[in-house]
Amino acid sequence: TMANVLVIAETYEGQLRNATYNSVSFARQIVDIEGGSYSIAVLSDAPAEHASTLATYGGAKVFTVSHESLAHYAADTWSDAVAGLAKSAGASHVVMSSSTQGKDLMPRVASQLDAGMAADIISVHADGGETRYKRPMWAGNIIATVAVDTPVHVVTVRSTDFDEAAAVGASSEVQPFDWSPADSGRTQFSAFNASGGERPDLGEAKIVVSGGRGLKDEENFWSVVTPLADSLGAAIGATRAAVDSGFAPNDLQIGQTGRVVAPDLYFAVAISGAIQHLAGMKNSKCIVAINKDPDAPIFQVADYGLVADAFKTVPELVDKLG
């Protein structure tokens, strides 16, 4: 049987997230292996605008699920809607990025569809006519090959390992899916308090400036990292050691137990480069390391390495950037 892949678009505060397009790349790879087609679903209180954008990405259809209860993400309502749509559309694969939202939503969808799940996938390949998925374990030191043997596969995709799909121009058919929550009284959205303010989101940023334990304390961390991030329009990240030491909040942590990022440019400032941290940023397109220890492991993965004192060098760099 041919694949019928359903990609769940990711939205936040009324905007489509770029991770949606990495998931479309994954869907295209499934179709290359198994034949068939993919469609994209967008859930919102007003999905029409997103639907017209997504219709240019080569899907057989764009499904819209429109209801006021979908204005904000909530696992209960979204999983009910996604599972209902997947059944109705006869989806063979239900796919979303392994973002915070995807990690929260997709296990529930798998449960409702009685489907096997492959999580945080970094590649897909055919093995004797069967589709196999690869996912990292143990901070990327082991790559596991996963087979899903239920009729429906639920997959979350590590977006840093797939390119953002480009639009193809041809317009997909937009098809509304009629859904309303079975039990609206059980949970309701009250508030979402986002931290981070004006900076780009870590997961979406093209440039990231990260600081490590070598910055000594909270005051130094921010006084060194902030001007550089400001001059580059970058997001700010931190190592686990810096977060554990109280320099930076938890949501800025990059690494095995934090965020996985792959920006175009990654500045590692006073970061030694423990395997735990490398697991979260080694796919960055260009890595610049500034560390006064010439033997720091970060230099093994850096494209540009500067053996220097960050407290002296970073302000000089900010001056040069003007």
Side-chain angles (χ1 to χ4, degrees):
T1 55
M2 301 273 228
N4 177 8
V5 185
L6 181 63
V7 176
I8 309 305
E10 188 164 341
T11 55
Y12 173 66
E13 291 194 334
Q15 301 298 309
L16 277 169
R17 302 301 287 260
N18 291 343
T20 303
Y21 306 120
N22 308 92
S23 300
V24 169
S25 281
F26 171 85
R28 289 176 182 175
Q29 290 183 24
I30 294 279
V31 170
D32 287 345
I33 292 168
E34 299 187 15
S37 63
Y38 61 89
S39 296
I40 307 172
V42 58
L43 290 73
S44 167
D45 55 338
E49 181 192 343
H50 297 326
S52 57
T53 303
L54 294 169
T56 62
Y57 280 82
K61 288 181 180 165
V62 172
F63 292 103
T64 57
V65 192
S66 178
H67 195 273
E68 65 264 16
S69 68
L70 300 172
H72 300 282
Y73 171 74
D76 270 11
T77 44
W78 277 57
S79 60
D80 188 60
V82 170
L85 172 60
K87 285 177 190 162
S88 164
S92 60
H93 301 69
V94 188
V95 176
M96 194 174 184
S97 69
S98 61
S99 59
T100 312
Q101 205 171 328
K103 285 174 178 169
D104 189 51
L105 173 67
M106 296 306 265
R108 292 167 187 259
V109 171
S111 169
Q112 284 179 255
L113 295 175
D114 216 8
M117 179 165 174
D120 211 19
I121 296 310
I122 58 170
S123 72
V124 58
H125 65 278
D127 178 14
E130 297 293 319
T131 301
R132 298 285 184 262
Y133 307 101
K134 291 196 169 176
R135 65 185 302 271
M137 296 164 62
W138 299 105
N141 287 315
I142 296 172
I143 304 297
T145 302
V146 180
V148 177
D149 56 10
T150 52
V152 178
H153 296 193
V154 172
V155 184
T156 57
V157 175
R158 183 177 285 202
S159 43
T160 55
D161 282 85
F162 293 85
D163 292 333
E164 281 183 27
V168 294
S171 202
S172 316
E173 178 196 343
V174 176
Q175 185 176 322
F177 174 65
D178 189 26
W179 173 86
S180 56
D183 176 13
S184 55
R186 217 157 52 116
T187 55
Q188 60 201 85
F189 179 87
S190 72
F192 183 83
N193 299 316
S195 56
E198 299 304 302
R199 284 191 192 286
D201 175 75
L202 255 184
E204 304 262 310
K206 298 295 182 205
I207 304 174
V208 173
V209 175
S210 277
R213 186 172 17 200
L215 294 177
K216 297 192 169 59
D217 61 39
E218 183 180 6
E219 190 182 339
N220 277 320
F221 179 92
W222 293 104
S223 67
V224 171
V225 168
T226 306
L228 182 57
D230 285 347
S231 61
L232 295 168
I236 288 178
T239 62
R240 177 166 183 171
V243 169
D244 285 352
S245 304
F247 301 179
N250 222 41
D251 54 335
L252 298 190
Q253 184 175 314
I254 291 169
Q256 184 191 356
T257 52
R259 307 285 291 272
V260 177
V261 300
D264 295 338
L265 177 60
Y266 188 92
F267 269 90
V269 180
I271 291 173
S272 63
I275 188 80
Q276 204 281 138
H277 185 71
L278 300 185
M281 47 62 78
K282 64 177 185 284
N283 284 357
S284 303
K285 310 282 187 298
C286 178
I287 298 170
V288 179
I290 301 171
N291 199 301
K292 61 183 184 189
D293 173 12
D295 299 322
I298 193 75
F299 290 127
Q300 303 295 314
V301 299
D303 298 286
Y304 298 94
L306 185 58
V307 179
D309 182 348
F311 293 113
K312 185 169 173 295
T313 305
V314 175
E316 289 173 1
L317 182 59
V318 173
D319 274 353
K320 289 276 193 294
L321 289 166

